[in-house]
């Protein structure tokens, strides 16, 4: 149909005007469907990490294995929270770091530690906070890595329980040593710092850190972990995120249904409601 004939049909018949409105509605629905569909697909493909807090003081290997076998869980590590105090030039600050297994950090974050120097890996939010605390009265820190002196509560506790050697006092365990703080793309937007923990120290933990393959599996995984007497501090936020994901899925279905209804209406009206062009 030529454009001139179509314009004459539009002037002569209200049905053609209604069809045009349906076509516009189809285009709008298609745009929203593509936007929300891509957003939904991106969200469910996002891998999630959780810290499982156990009721057991020390976890058994069999219980850890049962967590590994939960459908959707891809990586598991013992998790020890460590209080760290660091000094840089004349400034001092402290932060909480999660000590994890070397295998977990390498597999999940793609980080392979070189050398024996203690290294803390901080995401962008945490690294920014540390730099702000350590740059008071000095030039702003612009580097992506800092060399600091540090003391660690976990190392102090571990060394205090070891027998002294060659007359050295156990209090020497608290002496500051050198560490690196490296900015890394890990842990999302919430401030997060981790480091490779000593395997013996990690085995004494009652907590685990896990990663699941898809975000929409998080609610099921946490429920199954709860059956093993684990809890999660962020359970409420996780359930709220799942509710928002469900709402987005309903919106996608509604947009698809509305687009199909409009399409059927266009085809039906074109076939039965549009009369031939009047001469």
């Amino acid at each position: 149909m030529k454009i001139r004939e179509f314009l004459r049909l539009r002037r002569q018949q209200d049905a053609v005007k209604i069809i045009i409105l349906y076509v516009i509605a189809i285009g709008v629905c298609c745009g929203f469907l593509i936007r929300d569909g891509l957003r939904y697909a991106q969200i469910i493909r996002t891998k999630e990490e959780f810290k499982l807090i156990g009721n057991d003081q020390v976890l058994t290997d069999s219980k850890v294995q049962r967590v590994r076998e939960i459908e959707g869980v891809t990586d598991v590590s013992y998790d020890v929270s460590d209080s760290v105090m660091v000094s840089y030039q004349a400034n001092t600050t402290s932060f909480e770091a999660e000590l994890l297994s070397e295998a977990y950090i390498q597999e999940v974050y793609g980080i392979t530690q070189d050398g024996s120097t203690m290294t803390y890996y901080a995401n962008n939010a945490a690294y920014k906070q540390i730099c702000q605390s350590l740059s008071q009265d000095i030039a702003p820190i612009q580097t992506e890595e800092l060399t600091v002196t540090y003391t660690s509560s976990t190392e102090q506790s571990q060394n205090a329980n070891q027998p002294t050697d060659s007359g050295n006092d156990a209090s020497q365990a608290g002496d500051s040593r050198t560490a690196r703080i490296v900015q890394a793309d890990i842990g999302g937007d919430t401030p997060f710092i981790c480091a490779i923990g000593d395997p013996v120290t990690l085995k004494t933990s009652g907590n685990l850190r896990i990663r699941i393959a898809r975000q929409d599996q998080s609610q099921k995984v946490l429920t199954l972990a709860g059956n093993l007497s684990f809890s999660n501090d962020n359970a409420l936020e996780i359930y709220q995120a799942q509710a928002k994901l469900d709402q987005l899925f309903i919106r996608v279905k509604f947009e698809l249904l509305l687009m199909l209804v409009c399409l059927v209406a266009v085809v039906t009206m074109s076939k039965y409601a549009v009369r031939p062009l009047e001469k």
Side-chain angles (χ1 to χ4, degrees):
M1 182 184 296
K2 296 180 180 180
I3 295 178
R4 182 177 300 176
E5 294 177 352
F6 174 77
L7 293 176
R8 288 181 59 191
L9 271 176
R10 188 190 65 178
R11 290 194 299 268
Q12 293 177 5
Q13 302 182 38
D14 290 337
V16 176
K17 299 177 182 178
I18 295 174
I19 289 175
I20 293 174
L21 293 177
Y22 276 128
V23 171
I24 294 174
I26 290 174
V28 173
C29 288
C30 184
F32 282 121
L33 181 62
I34 293 174
R35 182 199 66 182
D36 294 336
L38 291 176
R39 183 182 174 191
Y40 180 82
Q42 181 182 15
I43 291 175
I44 64 172
R45 287 200 304 266
T46 301
K47 297 181 179 181
E48 289 288 296
E49 288 185 84
F50 305 112
K51 182 173 181 177
L52 300 181
I53 302 172
N55 293 326
D56 303 328
Q57 186 173 1
V58 178
L59 291 175
T60 61
D61 292 338
S62 60
K63 192 169 185 177
V64 175
Q65 183 60 30
R66 291 175 67 184
V67 173
R68 293 182 186 276
E69 293 172 353
I70 294 177
E71 182 181 358
V73 175
T74 60
D75 300 277
V76 178
S77 171
Y78 290 97
D79 188 330
V80 175
S81 295
D82 188 20
S83 297
V84 184
M85 179 171 291
V86 297
S87 298
Y88 180 77
Q89 296 187 14
N91 297 313
T92 301
T93 190
S94 61
F95 55 80
E96 291 290 323
E98 305 299 322
L99 300 182
L100 306 170
S101 70
E102 183 175 3
Y104 186 93
I105 288 180
Q106 183 173 353
E107 180 66 25
V108 175
Y109 305 135
I111 295 174
T112 302
Q113 181 169 322
D114 297 326
S116 58
T117 303
M118 184 63 181
T119 304
Y120 293 96
Y121 302 99
N123 66 1
N124 296 335
Y127 192 80
K128 182 178 180 180
Q129 289 182 355
I130 293 172
C131 289
Q132 288 177 345
S133 299
L134 294 179
S135 60
Q136 299 177 13
D137 303 323
I138 63 174
I141 299 172
Q142 303 293 338
T143 61
E144 296 182 353
E145 179 178 325
L146 286 172
T147 299
V148 298
T149 56
Y150 81 103
T151 56
S152 161
S153 63
T154 300
E155 290 185 1
Q156 288 178 346
S157 176
Q158 179 184 7
N159 292 331
N161 293 328
Q162 294 179 352
T164 57
D165 186 33
S166 302
N168 291 330
D169 188 81
S171 62
Q172 290 178 334
D175 291 345
S176 298
R177 297 190 297 148
T178 300
R180 297 163 59 225
I181 302 177
V182 178
Q183 186 176 11
D185 185 17
I186 60 174
D189 298 327
T190 303
F192 175 74
I193 303 172
C194 69
I196 296 175
D198 176 70
V200 176
T201 302
L202 292 177
K203 287 283 287 185
T204 64
S205 172
N207 304 324
L208 296 176
R209 189 171 184 86
I210 66 172
R211 182 174 72 162
I212 63 174
R214 292 168 37 155
Q215 182 171 328
D216 61 333
Q217 295 175 317
S218 58
Q219 190 170 343
K220 181 185 70 174
V221 169
L222 290 181
T223 299
L224 295 175
N227 296 337
L228 296 174
S229 300
F230 286 99
S231 60
N232 183 275
D233 287 342
N234 299 321
L236 178 60
E237 289 83 352
I238 293 167
Y239 290 130
Q240 289 174 342
Q242 183 64 42
K244 291 179 180 179
L245 185 63
D246 294 339
Q247 291 175 357
L248 182 60
F249 181 65
I250 293 173
R251 186 190 307 167
V252 169
K253 291 197 299 184
F254 176 77
E255 291 164 352
L256 178 60
L257 178 61
L258 185 59
M259 188 176 69
L260 291 176
V261 169
C262 291
L263 182 60
V264 171
V266 167
V267 173
T268 303
M269 292 189 68
S270 299
K271 186 174 182 180
Y272 297 106
V274 178
R275 302 185 304 275
L277 183 66
E278 296 178 3
K279 301 296 184 181

PDB file of all heavy atoms in Angstrom, residues 38-60:
ATOM      1  N   LEU A  38      16.607  -7.886  29.373  1.00  0.00           N
ATOM      2  CA  LEU A  38      18.065  -7.889  29.499  1.00  0.00           C
ATOM      3  C   LEU A  38      18.494  -7.680  30.947  1.00  0.00           C
ATOM      4  O   LEU A  38      19.449  -8.299  31.422  1.00  0.00           O
ATOM      5  CB  LEU A  38      18.670  -6.797  28.611  1.00  0.00           C
ATOM      6  CG  LEU A  38      18.572  -7.032  27.098  1.00  0.00           C
ATOM      7  CD1 LEU A  38      19.112  -5.826  26.343  1.00  0.00           C
ATOM      8  CD2 LEU A  38      19.316  -8.299  26.689  1.00  0.00           C
ATOM      9  N   ARG A  39      17.763  -6.807  31.643  1.00  0.00           N
ATOM     10  CA  ARG A  39      18.076  -6.557  33.051  1.00  0.00           C
ATOM     11  C   ARG A  39      17.854  -7.820  33.885  1.00  0.00           C
ATOM     12  O   ARG A  39      18.674  -8.171  34.739  1.00  0.00           O
ATOM     13  CB  ARG A  39      17.202  -5.425  33.571  1.00  0.00           C
ATOM     14  CG  ARG A  39      17.488  -5.028  35.018  1.00  0.00           C
ATOM     15  CD  ARG A  39      16.537  -3.934  35.443  1.00  0.00           C
ATOM     16  NE  ARG A  39      16.683  -3.623  36.866  1.00  0.00           N
ATOM     17  CZ  ARG A  39      15.841  -2.873  37.547  1.00  0.00           C
ATOM     18  NH1 ARG A  39      14.800  -2.337  36.931  1.00  0.00           N
ATOM     19  NH2 ARG A  39      16.041  -2.644  38.833  1.00  0.00           N
ATOM     20  N   TYR A  40      16.756  -8.518  33.618  1.00  0.00           N
ATOM     21  CA  TYR A  40      16.462  -9.752  34.363  1.00  0.00           C
ATOM     22  C   TYR A  40      17.521 -10.814  34.082  1.00  0.00           C
ATOM     23  O   TYR A  40      18.007 -11.480  35.003  1.00  0.00           O
ATOM     24  CB  TYR A  40      15.077 -10.264  33.979  1.00  0.00           C
ATOM     25  CG  TYR A  40      14.671 -11.529  34.678  1.00  0.00           C
ATOM     26  CD1 TYR A  40      14.141 -11.497  35.964  1.00  0.00           C
ATOM     27  CD2 TYR A  40      14.828 -12.773  34.069  1.00  0.00           C
ATOM     28  CE1 TYR A  40      13.771 -12.654  36.612  1.00  0.00           C
ATOM     29  CE2 TYR A  40      14.462 -13.938  34.720  1.00  0.00           C
ATOM     30  CZ  TYR A  40      13.935 -13.869  35.989  1.00  0.00           C
ATOM     31  OH  TYR A  40      13.577 -15.027  36.632  1.00  0.00           O
ATOM     32  N   ALA A  41      17.876 -10.967  32.808  1.00  0.00           N
ATOM     33  CA  ALA A  41      18.882 -11.973  32.453  1.00  0.00           C
ATOM     34  C   ALA A  41      20.220 -11.658  33.097  1.00  0.00           C
ATOM     35  O   ALA A  41      20.935 -12.561  33.553  1.00  0.00           O
ATOM     36  CB  ALA A  41      19.021 -12.044  30.935  1.00  0.00           C
ATOM     37  N   GLN A  42      20.573 -10.370  33.140  1.00  0.00           N
ATOM     38  CA  GLN A  42      21.841  -9.984  33.751  1.00  0.00           C
ATOM     39  C   GLN A  42      21.852 -10.279  35.244  1.00  0.00           C
ATOM     40  O   GLN A  42      22.850 -10.756  35.798  1.00  0.00           O
ATOM     41  CB  GLN A  42      22.095  -8.497  33.511  1.00  0.00           C
ATOM     42  CG  GLN A  42      23.412  -7.987  34.089  1.00  0.00           C
ATOM     43  CD  GLN A  42      23.603  -6.502  33.862  1.00  0.00           C
ATOM     44  OE1 GLN A  42      22.664  -5.791  33.517  1.00  0.00           O
ATOM     45  NE2 GLN A  42      24.817  -6.032  34.040  1.00  0.00           N
ATOM     46  N   ILE A  43      20.724 -10.005  35.907  1.00  0.00           N
ATOM     47  CA  ILE A  43      20.650 -10.221  37.348  1.00  0.00           C
ATOM     48  C   ILE A  43      20.775 -11.697  37.694  1.00  0.00           C
ATOM     49  O   ILE A  43      21.538 -12.076  38.590  1.00  0.00           O
ATOM     50  CB  ILE A  43      19.348  -9.632  37.919  1.00  0.00           C
ATOM     51  CG1 ILE A  43      19.384  -8.102  37.849  1.00  0.00           C
ATOM     52  CG2 ILE A  43      19.141 -10.073  39.371  1.00  0.00           C
ATOM     53  CD1 ILE A  43      18.095  -7.450  38.286  1.00  0.00           C
ATOM     54  N   ILE A  44      20.030 -12.541  37.015  1.00  0.00           N
ATOM     55  CA  ILE A  44      20.043 -13.959  37.392  1.00  0.00           C
ATOM     56  C   ILE A  44      21.381 -14.611  37.055  1.00  0.00           C
ATOM     57  O   ILE A  44      21.743 -15.637  37.652  1.00  0.00           O
ATOM     58  CB  ILE A  44      18.891 -14.744  36.727  1.00  0.00           C
ATOM     59  CG1 ILE A  44      19.044 -14.769  35.202  1.00  0.00           C
ATOM     60  CG2 ILE A  44      17.554 -14.180  37.132  1.00  0.00           C
ATOM     61  CD1 ILE A  44      18.048 -15.680  34.520  1.00  0.00           C
ATOM     62  N   ARG A  45      22.134 -14.031  36.114  1.00  0.00           N
ATOM     63  CA  ARG A  45      23.458 -14.600  35.796  1.00  0.00           C
ATOM     64  C   ARG A  45      24.520 -14.134  36.770  1.00  0.00           C
ATOM     65  O   ARG A  45      25.635 -14.655  36.775  1.00  0.00           O
ATOM     66  CB  ARG A  45      23.865 -14.216  34.367  1.00  0.00           C
ATOM     67  CG  ARG A  45      23.119 -14.935  33.273  1.00  0.00           C
ATOM     68  CD  ARG A  45      23.886 -14.866  31.963  1.00  0.00           C
ATOM     69  NE  ARG A  45      24.172 -13.486  31.592  1.00  0.00           N
ATOM     70  CZ  ARG A  45      23.410 -12.748  30.789  1.00  0.00           C
ATOM     71  NH1 ARG A  45      22.296 -13.257  30.305  1.00  0.00           N
ATOM     72  NH2 ARG A  45      23.759 -11.505  30.488  1.00  0.00           N
ATOM     73  N   THR A  46      24.193 -13.152  37.615  1.00  0.00           N
ATOM     74  CA  THR A  46      25.168 -12.630  38.564  1.00  0.00           C
ATOM     75  C   THR A  46      25.475 -13.663  39.643  1.00  0.00           C
ATOM     76  O   THR A  46      24.565 -14.213  40.261  1.00  0.00           O
ATOM     77  CB  THR A  46      24.632 -11.345  39.228  1.00  0.00           C
ATOM     78  OG1 THR A  46      24.355 -10.383  38.219  1.00  0.00           O
ATOM     79  CG2 THR A  46      25.656 -10.782  40.200  1.00  0.00           C
ATOM     80  N   LYS A  47      26.752 -13.912  39.857  1.00  0.00           N
ATOM     81  CA  LYS A  47      27.157 -14.824  40.916  1.00  0.00           C
ATOM     82  C   LYS A  47      27.169 -14.083  42.249  1.00  0.00           C
ATOM     83  O   LYS A  47      27.566 -12.928  42.311  1.00  0.00           O
ATOM     84  CB  LYS A  47      28.532 -15.424  40.616  1.00  0.00           C
ATOM     85  CG  LYS A  47      28.545 -16.279  39.346  1.00  0.00           C
ATOM     86  CD  LYS A  47      29.912 -16.872  39.085  1.00  0.00           C
ATOM     87  CE  LYS A  47      29.880 -17.746  37.834  1.00  0.00           C
ATOM     88  NZ  LYS A  47      31.196 -18.366  37.566  1.00  0.00           N
ATOM     89  N   GLU A  48      26.723 -14.761  43.308  1.00  0.00           N
ATOM     90  CA  GLU A  48      26.590 -14.134  44.612  1.00  0.00           C
ATOM     91  C   GLU A  48      27.499 -14.809  45.633  1.00  0.00           C
ATOM     92  O   GLU A  48      27.771 -16.012  45.543  1.00  0.00           O
ATOM     93  CB  GLU A  48      25.140 -14.229  45.102  1.00  0.00           C
ATOM     94  CG  GLU A  48      24.190 -13.322  44.329  1.00  0.00           C
ATOM     95  CD  GLU A  48      24.384 -11.862  44.662  1.00  0.00           C
ATOM     96  OE1 GLU A  48      24.158 -11.473  45.820  1.00  0.00           O
ATOM     97  OE2 GLU A  48      24.783 -11.112  43.757  1.00  0.00           O
ATOM     98  N   GLU A  49      27.946 -14.010  46.613  1.00  0.00           N
ATOM     99  CA  GLU A  49      28.742 -14.530  47.723  1.00  0.00           C
ATOM    100  C   GLU A  49      28.023 -14.260  49.036  1.00  0.00           C
ATOM    101  O   GLU A  49      27.394 -13.220  49.208  1.00  0.00           O
ATOM    102  CB  GLU A  49      30.113 -13.859  47.772  1.00  0.00           C
ATOM    103  CG  GLU A  49      31.063 -14.283  46.677  1.00  0.00           C
ATOM    104  CD  GLU A  49      32.428 -13.656  46.892  1.00  0.00           C
ATOM    105  OE1 GLU A  49      33.218 -14.231  47.664  1.00  0.00           O
ATOM    106  OE2 GLU A  49      32.686 -12.603  46.295  1.00  0.00           O
ATOM    107  N   PHE A  50      28.135 -15.219  49.958  1.00  0.00           N
ATOM    108  CA  PHE A  50      27.529 -15.067  51.273  1.00  0.00           C
ATOM    109  C   PHE A  50      28.477 -15.597  52.339  1.00  0.00           C
ATOM    110  O   PHE A  50      29.238 -16.542  52.098  1.00  0.00           O
ATOM    111  CB  PHE A  50      26.210 -15.840  51.379  1.00  0.00           C
ATOM    112  CG  PHE A  50      25.220 -15.489  50.313  1.00  0.00           C
ATOM    113  CD1 PHE A  50      24.882 -16.409  49.344  1.00  0.00           C
ATOM    114  CD2 PHE A  50      24.626 -14.242  50.284  1.00  0.00           C
ATOM    115  CE1 PHE A  50      23.977 -16.095  48.364  1.00  0.00           C
ATOM    116  CE2 PHE A  50      23.713 -13.925  49.311  1.00  0.00           C
ATOM    117  CZ  PHE A  50      23.386 -14.847  48.339  1.00  0.00           C
ATOM    118  N   LYS A  51      28.402 -14.983  53.494  1.00  0.00           N
ATOM    119  CA  LYS A  51      29.102 -15.518  54.658  1.00  0.00           C
ATOM    120  C   LYS A  51      28.093 -16.275  55.501  1.00  0.00           C
ATOM    121  O   LYS A  51      27.109 -15.705  55.968  1.00  0.00           O
ATOM    122  CB  LYS A  51      29.751 -14.398  55.478  1.00  0.00           C
ATOM    123  CG  LYS A  51      30.537 -14.937  56.679  1.00  0.00           C
ATOM    124  CD  LYS A  51      31.300 -13.834  57.380  1.00  0.00           C
ATOM    125  CE  LYS A  51      32.110 -14.387  58.561  1.00  0.00           C
ATOM    126  NZ  LYS A  51      32.923 -13.342  59.211  1.00  0.00           N
ATOM    127  N   LEU A  52      28.341 -17.565  55.680  1.00  0.00           N
ATOM    128  CA  LEU A  52      27.475 -18.408  56.500  1.00  0.00           C
ATOM    129  C   LEU A  52      28.050 -18.470  57.907  1.00  0.00           C
ATOM    130  O   LEU A  52      29.200 -18.853  58.098  1.00  0.00           O
ATOM    131  CB  LEU A  52      27.376 -19.814  55.900  1.00  0.00           C
ATOM    132  CG  LEU A  52      26.803 -19.915  54.486  1.00  0.00           C
ATOM    133  CD1 LEU A  52      26.753 -21.369  54.051  1.00  0.00           C
ATOM    134  CD2 LEU A  52      25.424 -19.283  54.413  1.00  0.00           C
ATOM    135  N   ILE A  53      27.248 -18.080  58.865  1.00  0.00           N
ATOM    136  CA  ILE A  53      27.672 -18.077  60.264  1.00  0.00           C
ATOM    137  C   ILE A  53      27.190 -19.366  60.913  1.00  0.00           C
ATOM    138  O   ILE A  53      25.993 -19.635  60.986  1.00  0.00           O
ATOM    139  CB  ILE A  53      27.108 -16.855  61.002  1.00  0.00           C
ATOM    140  CG1 ILE A  53      27.585 -15.579  60.297  1.00  0.00           C
ATOM    141  CG2 ILE A  53      27.540 -16.844  62.461  1.00  0.00           C
ATOM    142  CD1 ILE A  53      26.949 -14.324  60.818  1.00  0.00           C
ATOM    143  N   GLY A  54      28.142 -20.175  61.373  1.00  0.00           N
ATOM    144  CA  GLY A  54      27.797 -21.469  61.942  1.00  0.00           C
ATOM    145  C   GLY A  54      27.616 -21.423  63.445  1.00  0.00           C
ATOM    146  O   GLY A  54      28.208 -20.582  64.137  1.00  0.00           O
ATOM    147  N   ASN A  55      26.805 -22.323  63.937  1.00  0.00           N
ATOM    148  CA  ASN A  55      26.609 -22.450  65.383  1.00  0.00           C
ATOM    149  C   ASN A  55      27.685 -23.311  66.031  1.00  0.00           C
ATOM    150  O   ASN A  55      27.815 -23.328  67.252  1.00  0.00           O
ATOM    151  CB  ASN A  55      25.229 -23.046  65.672  1.00  0.00           C
ATOM    152  CG  ASN A  55      24.101 -22.099  65.263  1.00  0.00           C
ATOM    153  OD1 ASN A  55      24.250 -20.892  65.359  1.00  0.00           O
ATOM    154  ND2 ASN A  55      22.995 -22.645  64.788  1.00  0.00           N
ATOM    155  N   ASP A  56      28.443 -24.034  65.209  1.00  0.00           N
ATOM    156  CA  ASP A  56      29.513 -24.881  65.735  1.00  0.00           C
ATOM    157  C   ASP A  56      30.781 -24.052  65.908  1.00  0.00           C
ATOM    158  O   ASP A  56      31.128 -23.231  65.058  1.00  0.00           O
ATOM    159  CB  ASP A  56      29.803 -26.044  64.785  1.00  0.00           C
ATOM    160  CG  ASP A  56      28.564 -26.878  64.522  1.00  0.00           C
ATOM    161  OD1 ASP A  56      27.728 -26.975  65.443  1.00  0.00           O
ATOM    162  OD2 ASP A  56      28.439 -27.413  63.412  1.00  0.00           O
ATOM    163  N   GLN A  57      31.477 -24.278  67.008  1.00  0.00           N
ATOM    164  CA  GLN A  57      32.722 -23.546  67.240  1.00  0.00           C
ATOM    165  C   GLN A  57      33.775 -23.935  66.215  1.00  0.00           C
ATOM    166  O   GLN A  57      34.535 -23.096  65.739  1.00  0.00           O
ATOM    167  CB  GLN A  57      33.240 -23.812  68.656  1.00  0.00           C
ATOM    168  CG  GLN A  57      34.455 -22.962  69.024  1.00  0.00           C
ATOM    169  CD  GLN A  57      34.842 -23.122  70.472  1.00  0.00           C
ATOM    170  OE1 GLN A  57      34.216 -23.885  71.211  1.00  0.00           O
ATOM    171  NE2 GLN A  57      35.871 -22.398  70.886  1.00  0.00           N
ATOM    172  N   VAL A  58      33.804 -25.211  65.867  1.00  0.00           N
ATOM    173  CA  VAL A  58      34.708 -25.709  64.835  1.00  0.00           C
ATOM    174  C   VAL A  58      33.899 -26.586  63.899  1.00  0.00           C
ATOM    175  O   VAL A  58      33.159 -27.469  64.356  1.00  0.00           O
ATOM    176  CB  VAL A  58      35.879 -26.511  65.438  1.00  0.00           C
ATOM    177  CG1 VAL A  58      36.766 -27.049  64.321  1.00  0.00           C
ATOM    178  CG2 VAL A  58      36.692 -25.653  66.397  1.00  0.00           C
ATOM    179  N   LEU A  59      34.027 -26.361  62.599  1.00  0.00           N
ATOM    180  CA  LEU A  59      33.262 -27.131  61.626  1.00  0.00           C
ATOM    181  C   LEU A  59      33.967 -28.447  61.311  1.00  0.00           C
ATOM    182  O   LEU A  59      35.188 -28.495  61.212  1.00  0.00           O
ATOM    183  CB  LEU A  59      33.113 -26.326  60.335  1.00  0.00           C
ATOM    184  CG  LEU A  59      32.220 -25.086  60.401  1.00  0.00           C
ATOM    185  CD1 LEU A  59      32.277 -24.326  59.076  1.00  0.00           C
ATOM    186  CD2 LEU A  59      30.785 -25.481  60.705  1.00  0.00           C
ATOM    187  N   THR A  60      33.187 -29.482  61.150  1.00  0.00           N
ATOM    188  CA  THR A  60      33.737 -30.770  60.735  1.00  0.00           C
ATOM    189  C   THR A  60      33.825 -30.812  59.216  1.00  0.00           C
ATOM    190  O   THR A  60      33.088 -30.117  58.510  1.00  0.00           O
ATOM    191  CB  THR A  60      32.852 -31.918  61.232  1.00  0.00           C
ATOM    192  OG1 THR A  60      31.543 -31.781  60.649  1.00  0.00           O
ATOM    193  CG2 THR A  60      32.729 -31.889  62.746  1.00  0.00           C
TER     194      THR A  60
END
